Amino acid sequence: MRRLALFLVAFVLPVLSVAPAAAAGGSELQATHTAPAAHDAHAAGPGVTPQQALDRLVEGNARFVAGKSQRPHQTAQWRSGLTTGQHPIAAILGCSDSRVPVEEVFDQGFGDLFVIRVAGNVAADDERGSIEYAVAHLGVPLVLVMGHESCGAVTAALSTEAERKHEAPEIQILLDRITPSLKDLATGTPEARVHAGVEANARMSARDLVGTPLLKERIAKGELQVKAAVYELATGKVRLLD
């Protein structure tokens, strides 16, 4: 019940509170949020295609890597336009690691990305529900699962079962969600196995999301893309996976 109450407060009630204003003023929600579009090439809003959203992320990451971040959508005027609603261009399922701040990595600002972060970027029930909310209620055209190099959760999941049993029960549950992605990894150095494991885990989370009926339907209609990627700690580059 507590989780349901938090979900209602965080997601459903803000949507319901906008409805009367939209009904009274026609397209007040859209007009308020997209008002900066005339002079802001990065303005978020409805009508963005999956490829356009992906291009936005790729371009933003290129600026970040080059040290030319523009840090858009952070002014008081822009934030004021977000008080009545949001139109993020993508939902990102990333790791909780403090070295991977998602909005910074993609050079995006307030209202641009719907971000879910959890250790190991696993797609368990809560994460899938959050992604489905972003797709169903916010209309995001792109879902990106982003792992990162040297992920501690993947490293721990690659340890022996005896070693994992020393972890707290909740951590063991988390690691158990990662280990299925690692069963077919080739032998190699610990570093190579972590590198391959990070990719395999990101791909598995993406597959788990694609398997949900809602996302599968939107993908079939061409309204949604689901991608997997890996963030490189040293370069800052986000590498898209096939």
Side-chain angles (χ1 to χ4, degrees):
M1 290 297 295
R2 180 174 178 270
R3 179 172 292 176
L4 176 60
L6 291 174
F7 179 85
L8 290 172
V9 170
F11 297 127
V12 178
L13 291 180
V15 173
L16 293 177
S17 67
V18 171
S27 58
E28 181 177 344
L29 171 60
Q30 180 176 338
T32 300
H33 182 66
T34 59
H39 60 272
D40 188 347
H42 302 285
V48 177
T49 68
Q51 187 59 50
Q52 287 172 335
L54 184 61
D55 290 343
R56 279 267 301 271
L57 296 188
V58 171
E59 292 164 2
N61 180 241
R63 294 193 299 270
F64 173 75
V65 171
K68 298 180 179 179
S69 294
Q70 298 175 359
R71 296 180 174 82
H73 302 167
Q74 299 189 28
T75 65
Q77 179 185 5
W78 180 264
R79 296 196 308 273
S80 177
L82 294 173
T83 58
T84 53
Q86 57 175 320
H87 297 291
I89 62 167
I92 313 292
L93 174 57
C95 184
S96 300
D97 195 294
S98 63
R99 299 168 293 179
V100 194
V102 176
E103 286 87 355
E104 291 286 335
V105 165
F106 290 112
D107 194 25
Q108 302 298 312
F110 288 82
D112 292 334
L113 302 177
F114 189 90
V115 179
I116 302 96
R117 296 180 67 178
V118 59
N121 42 273
V122 298
D125 290 349
D126 290 348
E127 292 76 31
R128 289 197 301 270
S130 297
I131 293 289
E132 288 180 324
Y133 174 84
V135 172
H137 295 279
L138 302 179
V140 297
L142 176 67
V143 173
L144 181 70
V145 178
M146 185 171 69
H148 67 91
E149 290 183 339
S150 303
C151 178
V154 172
T155 301
L158 282 167
S159 63
T160 66
E161 184 176 354
E163 290 172 326
R164 293 199 300 274
K165 286 190 178 300
H166 291 294
E167 300 287 358
E170 290 79 8
I171 296 178
Q172 293 185 46
I173 292 172
L174 176 69
L175 298 180
D176 286 344
R177 295 193 179 280
I178 298 174
T179 51
S181 70
L182 311 176
K183 58 183 177 63
D184 294 326
L185 290 187
T187 58
T189 66
E191 292 79 10
R193 283 176 58 79
V194 171
H195 177 87
V198 165
E199 292 188 356
N201 183 52
R203 287 190 173 102
M204 184 181 72
S205 290
R207 288 196 301 271
D208 289 344
L209 292 173
V210 170
T212 64
L214 172 63
L215 271 63
K216 188 178 297 185
E217 176 187 351
R218 295 295 175 90
I219 292 170
K221 291 180 178 179
E223 300 172 354
L224 178 71
Q225 286 186 21
V226 177
K227 299 285 188 180
V230 172
Y231 174 73
E232 300 176 354
L233 293 177
T235 66
K237 182 179 180 179
V238 176
R239 175 166 42 88
L240 292 172
L241 304 177
D242 295 333

